[in-house]
Amino acid sequence: DFLMSMVGKFNPAPEEVEKVRAIIKETGSYDYSKKLINNYIEESKPWLEKMNCSEELKEFCRGFADHMANRDY
């Protein structure tokens, strides 16, 4: 079907990209993925605190993870 025809497509048209985005949001896949990502990040934070590295590096990792989870394209 349409989504399968888009897998591996080298240069999709802008309207095809928008259609894929709409399908992902309409089916709840986007929200499910965001929730899953946030859960994994929250589960990882206690492990980060146990690591033997600088507080500066820990803060960078926390910020990077939060940024990646909350970016929106």
Side-chain angles (χ1 to χ4, degrees):
D1 82 300
F2 177 74
L3 286 179
M4 289 305 294
S5 72
M6 293 291 102
V7 174
K9 189 167 185 179
F10 180 68
N11 195 13
E15 55 272 2
E16 291 173 320
V17 173
E18 287 307 313
K19 186 172 181 179
V20 169
R21 284 182 178 175
I23 291 170
I24 290 170
K25 286 192 175 191
E26 289 169 6
T27 60
S29 296
Y30 179 80
D31 291 334
Y32 173 78
S33 297
K34 293 283 283 186
K35 188 176 191 177
L36 195 60
I37 289 166
N38 286 323
N39 286 343
Y40 282 134
I41 288 172
E42 290 307 311
E43 287 178 17
S44 71
K45 286 182 180 178
W47 290 98
L48 179 62
E49 296 309 315
K50 295 177 184 179
M51 292 183 65
N52 186 20
C53 59
S54 70
E55 188 58 37
E56 182 180 43
L57 179 57
K58 291 177 186 180
E59 185 60 33
F60 171 80
C61 290
R62 283 190 292 268
F64 182 74
D66 289 339
H67 169 74
M68 295 303 290
N70 294 313
R71 64 189 180 144
D72 197 21
Y73 290 95

